[in-house]
């Protein structure tokens, strides 16, 4: 596990799944933070959110820019493993029973129809629409009871960042078994009924944020403003940490 920008990361697909499978195999519980630009930014500004991240098992690197920052600051090579990737891999592995919650019912229905084509076991898994509530208003005990009765090992949570991290942190004390993973807009990407992910050429050029801005300018411009506002100080602090580590 490596810590950068106040976030504890595990990098690499194999390492991530070794950790998740190990927790499930021993009957443990926890949640995985999918650290996109919003999560990284919020972790710098909001102590309550940083505490929620500290409750996680670890974070995966959803942002394609973090590996660039690490290469510039530390001279190390790390790879992105985003929410869409871990979702696809879990579906295709056919190893764990899953529970899907969040998003609107139409999105969940579309997601189920699409994912059953890749993994027929999903036909018998639960897709649950969460009510639209503030993070402190959910019936966490009731939700945990439903998950326990379902017997799911992997619980996908699609509430968007940073809300889903706070949700998983609050649900964790009530959960008896399983690993929650917050995947933001992934349900929409794979539902066939809502917004799509950016085309491959934009992903390769680290321009997915532009695609998201055009898709939802009101929401994404606000997010990008906070990221740009925080970025210089965040990079400076990380550079100072690197400098002090080298000197020490």
């Amino acid at each position: 596990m490596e810590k950068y920008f106040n976030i504890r990361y595990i990098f690499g697909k194999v390492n991530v799944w070794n950790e998740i499978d190990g927790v499930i195999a021993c009957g443990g519980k926890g949640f995985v933070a999918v650290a996109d630009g919003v999560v990284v930014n919020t972790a710098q500004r909001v102590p309550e959110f940083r505490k929620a991240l500290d409750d996680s098992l670890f974070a995966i690197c959803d942002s394609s820019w973090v590996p660039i920052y690490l290469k510039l600051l530390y001279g190390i090579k790390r790879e992105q493993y985003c929410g869409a990737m871990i979702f696809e891999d879990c579906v295709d592995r056919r190893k764990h029973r899953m529970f899907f919650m969040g998003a609107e019912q139409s999105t969940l229905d579309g997601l189920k129809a699409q994912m059953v084509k890749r993994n027929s076991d999903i036909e018998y898994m639960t897709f649950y629409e969460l009510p639209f509530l503030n993070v402190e208003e959910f019936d966490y005990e009731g939700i945990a009871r439903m998950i326990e009765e379902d017997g799911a090992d992997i619980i996908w949570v699609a509430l968007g960042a940073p809300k889903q991290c706070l949700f998983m942190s609050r649900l964790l004390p009530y959960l008896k078994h399983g690993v929650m993973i917050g995947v933001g807009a992934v349900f929409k990407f794979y539902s066939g009924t809502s917004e799509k992910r950016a085309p491959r050429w934009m992903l390769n050029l680290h321009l997915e944020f532009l695609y998201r801005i055009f898709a939802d300018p009101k929401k994404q411009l606000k997010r990008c403003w906070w990221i740009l506002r925080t970025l210089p100080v965040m990079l400076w602090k990380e550079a100072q940490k690197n400098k002090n580590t080298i000197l020490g």
Side-chain angles (χ1 to χ4, degrees), residues 82-89 91 107-116 118 183 185-197 200:
C82 69
M85 293 173 180
I86 194 172
F87 183 78
E88 283 192 350
D89 287 340
V91 168
T107 299
L108 292 173
D109 291 343
L111 178 70
K112 182 175 183 178
Q114 295 299 317
M115 292 301 101
V116 164
R118 299 180 68 143
V183 286
V186 167
F187 284 10
K188 295 180 180 180
F189 293 159
Y190 291 99
S191 69
T193 63
S194 190
E195 64 184 274
K196 297 180 180 179
R197 200 177 179 202
R200 174 55 55 184

Side-chain angles (χ1 to χ4, degrees), residues 13 16 26 30 35-36 44 57 78 85 97 103 137 142 144 151 167 184 186 219 223-224 229-230:
K13 171 181 173 179
V16 167
C26 71
D36 63 0
Q44 316 310 309
L57 295 168
R78 298 292 183 269
M85 293 173 180
R97 179 169 179 83
E137 296 174 333
F167 175 92
V186 167
K219 177 181 178 180
R223 286 181 164 188
C224 287
R229 185 176 178 180
T230 309

Side-chain angles (χ1 to χ4, degrees), residues 41 48 51 64 77 85 113 129 183 200 230 235 238:
N41 167 264
E48 178 191 4
K51 183 179 182 301
S64 67
K77 184 178 179 180
M85 293 173 180
E129 180 184 15
V183 286
R200 174 55 55 184
T230 309
L235 293 177
E238 194 68 23

Side-chain angles (χ1 to χ4, degrees), residues 62-117:
D62 187 88
S63 169
S64 67
W65 286 92
V66 165
I68 296 174
Y69 303 152
L70 296 181
K71 179 68 174 178
L72 292 172
L73 292 171
Y74 293 94
I76 59 176
K77 184 178 179 180
R78 298 292 183 269
E79 294 183 355
Q80 178 191 30
Y81 189 45
C82 69
M85 293 173 180
I86 194 172
F87 183 78
E88 283 192 350
D89 287 340
C90 189
V91 168
D92 293 341
R93 289 168 95 224
R94 305 187 69 157
K95 186 172 182 178
H96 298 299
R97 179 169 179 83
M98 297 174 282
F99 189 102
F100 305 77
M101 64 177 169
E104 298 176 351
Q105 192 60 51
S106 59
T107 299
L108 292 173
D109 291 343
L111 178 70
K112 182 175 183 178
Q114 295 299 317
M115 292 301 101
V116 164
K117 298 174 184 178

Side-chain angles (χ1 to χ4, degrees), residues 129-145:
E129 180 184 15
L130 286 169
F132 186 75
L133 298 171
N134 293 324
V135 75
E136 64 274 6
E137 296 174 333
F138 287 98
D139 176 13
Y140 291 103
E141 187 174 2
I143 293 170
R145 190 183 309 116

Side-chain angles (χ1 to χ4, degrees), residues 139-150 171 174-175:
D139 176 13
Y140 291 103
E141 187 174 2
I143 293 170
R145 190 183 309 116
M146 182 171 27
I147 294 170
E148 181 185 355
E149 292 171 355
D150 182 88
L171 180 58
Y174 300 98
L175 197 67

Side-chain angles (χ1 to χ4, degrees), residues 18 53 61 80 86 98-99 102 119 124 126 131 155 187 234:
N18 282 344
L53 278 183
C61 182
Q80 178 191 30
I86 194 172
M98 297 174 282
F99 189 102
N119 178 347
Y124 307 101
T126 301
I155 303 102
F187 284 10
M234 183 185 81

